[in-house]
């Protein structure tokens, strides 16, 4: 199914019935990232699975894909499916979009789960690396970038146990066009620091870290939980030691059980 948000036609699909639960995938994957995990959730929840702007079957639109634009897309998605308030889980850029959505529409949030989504903005070194990738993608397309993402985002344990999944991940990543990849790098480089945002969260929150994650480290995710707790509201923290940045995709059954238990506790 498709809906329109500003200048882009965006894809989403829905599984199951019950309270609304929106799952937001990481870059440069798409909604298929969550399908195995969603199997444990759709038995009780109406699981809404969008392709974020510039990913999968969703158009990129014009200009950088900023967190502000993704936040607006999420709000329009809720309007599209007739949901006033939902629970959310996001991984990587999906979590960064949730920080923005919380700033934008906190009254529409029932609960939050952040998987490998650090609250800090990019460092200067990270921004410089994104600029390098923009230049390389402009010159040579996305092939090298996709292979680099596979290396960085999927943990060594998953590579060893399930090497066939690398092909599945590559297929998802190759759907991102060079223009969308550049727009995503631009938007991520611009993303605001969300440490103060975390202190404002007043809904049940689950924080998942992955011990093999090079991008959002266990220390980063512990910081997120501590920031939420610092204002007097509880946040649950769990680490999966043998998973990387794509933890929900690498270990879908385990993450499915963790998320199911958390969201069940909210209702």
């Amino acid at each position: 199914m498709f809906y329109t948000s500003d200048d882009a036609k965006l894809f989403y699909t829905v599984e199951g019935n019950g309270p609304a639960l929106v799952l937001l995938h990481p870059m440069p994957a798409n909604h298929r990232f969550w399908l195995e995990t969603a199997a444990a959730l759709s038995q009780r929840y109406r699981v809404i699975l969008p392709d974020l702007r510039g990913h999968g079957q969703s158009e990129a639109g014009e200009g950088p894909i900023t967190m502000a634009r993704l936040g607006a897309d999420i709000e329009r998605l809720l309007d599209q499916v007739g949901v006033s308030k939902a629970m959310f889980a996001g991984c990587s850029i999906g979590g960064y979009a949730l920080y923005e959505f919380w700033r934008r529409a906190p009254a529409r949030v029932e609960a939050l789960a952040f998987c490998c989504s650090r609250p800090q903005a990019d460092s200067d070194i990270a921004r410089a690396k994104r600029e390098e990738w923009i230049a390389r993608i402009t010159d040579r397309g996305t092939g090298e970038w996709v292979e680099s993402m596979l290396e960085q985002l999927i943990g060594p344990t998953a590579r060893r146990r399930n090497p066939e999944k690398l092909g599945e991940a590559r297929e998802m990543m190759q759907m991102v066009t060079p223009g969308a990849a550049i727009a995503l790098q631009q938007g991520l480089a611009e993303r605001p620091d969300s440490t103060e945002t975390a202190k404002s969260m007043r809904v049940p929150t689950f924080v998942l870290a992955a011990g093999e994650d090079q991008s959002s480290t266990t220390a980063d995710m512990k910081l997120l939980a501590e920031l939420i707790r610092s204002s007097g509201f509880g946040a649950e923290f769990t680490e999966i030691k043998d998973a990387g940045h794509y933890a929900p995709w690498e270990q879908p059954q385990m993450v499915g059980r963790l998320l199911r238990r958390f969201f069940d506790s909210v209702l």
Side-chain angles (χ1 to χ4, degrees):
M1 294 177 280
F2 291 89
Y3 71 107
T4 299
S5 181
D6 291 335
D7 61 349
K9 183 179 180 182
L10 306 178
F11 174 85
Y12 72 98
T13 188
V14 178
E15 295 191 359
N17 294 288
L21 171 57
V22 182
L23 303 181
L24 304 176
H25 62 77
M27 183 192 79
N30 57 51
H31 77 278
R32 289 160 52 195
F33 173 91
W34 284 108
L35 288 180
E36 288 187 71
T37 305
L41 300 168
S42 59
Q43 299 167 24
R44 184 176 184 187
Y45 299 101
R46 182 187 180 192
V47 182
I48 302 163
L49 300 158
D51 283 350
L52 297 177
R53 177 182 291 261
H55 298 79
Q57 299 179 61
S58 290
E59 296 174 348
E62 297 296 326
I65 298 177
T66 62
M67 300 311 103
R69 295 179 79 186
L70 293 179
D73 292 343
I74 296 167
E75 189 159 20
R76 291 190 179 93
L77 174 62
L78 293 190
D79 295 339
Q80 169 73 17
V81 297
V83 170
S84 60
K85 195 171 187 178
M87 299 183 294
F88 295 87
C91 181
S92 190
I93 195 173
Y96 306 151
L98 286 182
Y99 294 128
E100 179 63 32
F101 188 70
W102 174 261
R103 289 188 286 265
R104 180 185 182 93
R108 303 192 76 169
V109 178
E110 189 79 40
L112 291 165
F114 292 97
C115 305
C116 305
S117 300
R118 65 201 303 265
Q120 305 97 315
D122 267 3
S123 66
D124 291 340
I125 293 173
R127 291 191 188 96
K129 186 65 175 177
R130 294 194 193 281
E131 288 298 325
E132 290 178 16
W133 274 120
I134 288 170
R136 292 167 74 175
I137 293 168
T138 300
D139 289 341
R140 301 196 287 269
T142 61
E144 293 177 36
W145 178 67
V146 165
E147 295 308 312
S148 176
M149 291 296 98
L150 288 168
E151 180 69 28
Q152 293 178 42
L153 303 180
I154 299 172
T157 299
R159 292 170 164 283
R160 185 176 66 252
R161 290 178 181 170
N162 302 297
E164 73 285 352
K165 294 196 77 171
L166 291 175
E168 299 171 19
R170 183 179 288 109
E171 184 181 345
M172 283 193 290
M173 294 177 180
Q174 288 174 337
M175 294 184 72
V176 177
T177 67
I182 290 169
L184 285 162
Q185 294 296 321
Q186 292 169 332
L188 285 166
E190 294 178 20
R191 83 178 187 277
D193 184 274
S194 293
T195 53
E196 290 301 314
T197 298
K199 295 177 184 178
S200 73
M201 291 176 176
R202 295 290 186 277
V203 294
T205 305
F206 177 80
V207 177
L208 178 69
E212 298 174 353
D213 187 356
Q214 304 174 44
S215 302
S216 291
T217 65
T218 296
D220 292 328
M221 300 312 293
K222 281 183 176 177
L223 173 64
L224 173 60
E226 290 165 1
L227 288 167
I228 297 168
R229 294 168 184 161
S230 70
S231 295
F233 207 89
E236 183 178 342
F237 174 83
T238 298
E239 179 190 20
I240 301 177
K241 292 188 179 297
D242 55 349
H245 196 61
Y246 270 25
W249 181 81
E250 295 174 34
Q251 300 205 26
Q253 288 78 26
M254 178 180 290
V255 175
R257 289 193 297 270
L258 289 169
L259 291 179
R260 176 65 189 266
R261 180 188 52 75
F262 168 68
F263 288 122
D264 284 356
S265 74
V266 173
L267 300 179

